[in-house]
Amino acid sequence: MFFHKQELHFQATPDQADAVYARKLQEVLGGQYGEITVAMQYMFQGWNMHTPGKYRDLVFGIGSEEFGHVEMLATMIAQLLEKAPVGVTEAAVQSDPTVAAVIGGTDLQHAIVAGAGARPLDSMGNPWQGAYITASGNLLADFTANANAEMQGRTQVARLYHMTDDAGVRDMLSFLLARDTMHQNQWLAAAAELREEGVEKLPVPSNFPQSKEHTPVSYQYQNFSDGQQASEGSWASGATPDGNGEFSYHDGPTTSAEMPPPTRPDARFYGTTDLPDSVEKMAGTAQDALKRE
């Protein structure tokens, strides 16, 4: 159940209109790592969670907060567009390269489709999509993905911070940066706690028997690059993070297998194979006549 309180989590008022920056800000609203994504990701993780308690409360709590961040960004974008020019004559664009460049940097659908409002899109106009969401049901996998989402999002907000001199916009971004700092730490702490409590362990999923793996290569670093310095990393020797083995380093693969012969799909796929065309045509005709796949 949701209720909407007509307040913002933090102030979101620009000093002046800026339609070009409004388009840039769309990335952290409707992009792959934007606020819509993390809000929906955390809520679906909660809805799909199989156990009650602190971890479920955590995802619902942060997910609800993220919807507030969606609202802050949408409100900011609308205000950045509020007093932006509705249109520029063709003559003005042709006579002034600066005007043409500015108009070229705006999202025309902000005006045409949304009437000077935000939209669930990224900065290039690509619609937000549910495929961005990670909600696997495995808490260690999901919390690790959440930490990544917060890291990517904070990186983008930090870049946007330096793309404007507007004090009001920067004030809001500084708040979002701080909350991203908290959320990164929360997800990393939650992932660590899962492991400490034995709820989930590495490798994910930890309840799949490793005996069913091809264990000789479970902890081999197989170097498929001509770079040699990877061998100096902690991932190439010593104990593994899951505590179940020791890393080893190898130049190239330690296994190989003979390539199987080319496949011969159903003749009615009409692919080119090593069979004569006349043979494939007869095979397809016979299969049709016999009503066989």
Side-chain angles (χ1 to χ4, degrees):
M1 183 180 294
F2 289 89
F3 294 91
H4 180 258
K5 189 172 185 178
Q6 295 192 37
E7 297 177 0
L8 294 180
H9 190 194
F10 190 77
Q11 57 196 16
T13 304
D15 290 349
Q16 58 187 7
D18 188 339
V20 175
Y21 193 79
R23 175 180 177 180
K24 296 175 182 178
L25 209 54
Q26 283 283 161
E27 189 64 36
V28 290
L29 173 64
Q32 181 177 359
Y33 297 108
E35 299 290 357
I36 296 176
T37 294
V38 289
M40 294 296 286
Q41 178 160 307
Y42 303 163
M43 297 307 286
F44 269 94
Q45 288 177 5
W47 293 324
N48 294 348
M49 199 172 294
H50 309 298
T51 57
K54 61 183 178 182
Y55 295 115
R56 196 163 185 255
D57 290 352
L58 174 67
V59 296
F60 279 143
I62 303 181
S64 298
E65 178 185 349
E66 299 292 9
F67 276 111
H69 296 174
V70 170
E71 184 171 50
M72 286 168 58
L73 284 165
T75 301
M76 177 63 82
I77 289 169
Q79 291 178 95
L80 286 167
L81 295 167
E82 183 179 12
K83 296 180 181 178
V86 174
V88 176
T89 64
E90 184 178 354
V93 172
Q94 290 178 342
S95 63
D96 189 340
T98 303
V99 173
V102 170
I103 296 303
T106 62
D107 182 352
L108 299 181
Q109 290 193 340
H110 272 156
I112 299 168
V113 178
R119 304 188 67 217
L121 311 171
D122 66 16
S123 57
M124 298 303 293
N126 301 305
W128 181 84
Q129 53 183 299
Y132 295 154
I133 290 175
T134 299
S136 70
N138 183 288
L139 298 191
L140 187 52
D142 284 352
F143 290 178
T144 304
N146 294 351
N148 171 68
E150 296 286 352
M151 292 173 188
Q152 296 289 348
R154 190 173 188 276
T155 299
Q156 293 179 357
V157 173
R159 289 169 177 163
L160 282 163
Y161 185 92
H162 294 290
M163 294 180 186
T164 181
D165 292 324
D166 190 299
V169 174
R170 280 192 163 191
D171 197 30
M172 181 197 71
L173 295 181
S174 71
F175 179 80
L176 293 177
L177 286 163
R179 296 309 298 160
D180 285 345
T181 295
M182 176 58 178
H183 294 162
Q184 285 184 37
N185 282 280
Q186 282 182 293
W187 293 124
L188 292 171
E193 197 160 318
L194 283 169
R195 295 178 63 188
E196 289 166 3
E197 294 178 346
V199 178
E200 286 291 342
K201 301 177 182 178
L202 292 175
V204 175
S206 54
N207 56 358
F208 181 86
Q210 280 195 272
S211 60
K212 295 185 181 297
E213 297 179 10
H214 184 69
T215 53
V217 299
S218 292
Y219 300 109
Q220 288 183 357
Y221 185 104
Q222 299 180 2
N223 187 22
F224 283 84
S225 169
D226 60 3
Q228 296 300 314
Q229 291 183 310
S231 62
E232 300 170 7
S234 59
W235 52 82
S237 63
T240 59
D242 62 15
N244 296 342
E246 293 279 328
F247 285 124
S248 61
Y249 178 86
H250 303 269
D251 275 321
T254 60
T255 59
S256 64
E258 185 178 345
M259 179 70 74
T263 56
R264 292 175 177 172
D266 189 307
R268 292 166 296 178
F269 282 121
Y270 305 111
T272 303
T273 72
D274 58 345
L275 294 174
D277 186 66
S278 57
V279 173
E280 291 203 334
K281 187 179 294 184
M282 286 189 293
T285 302
Q287 285 174 302
D288 284 340
L290 296 171
K291 296 181 178 181
R292 292 179 58 186
E293 293 299 323

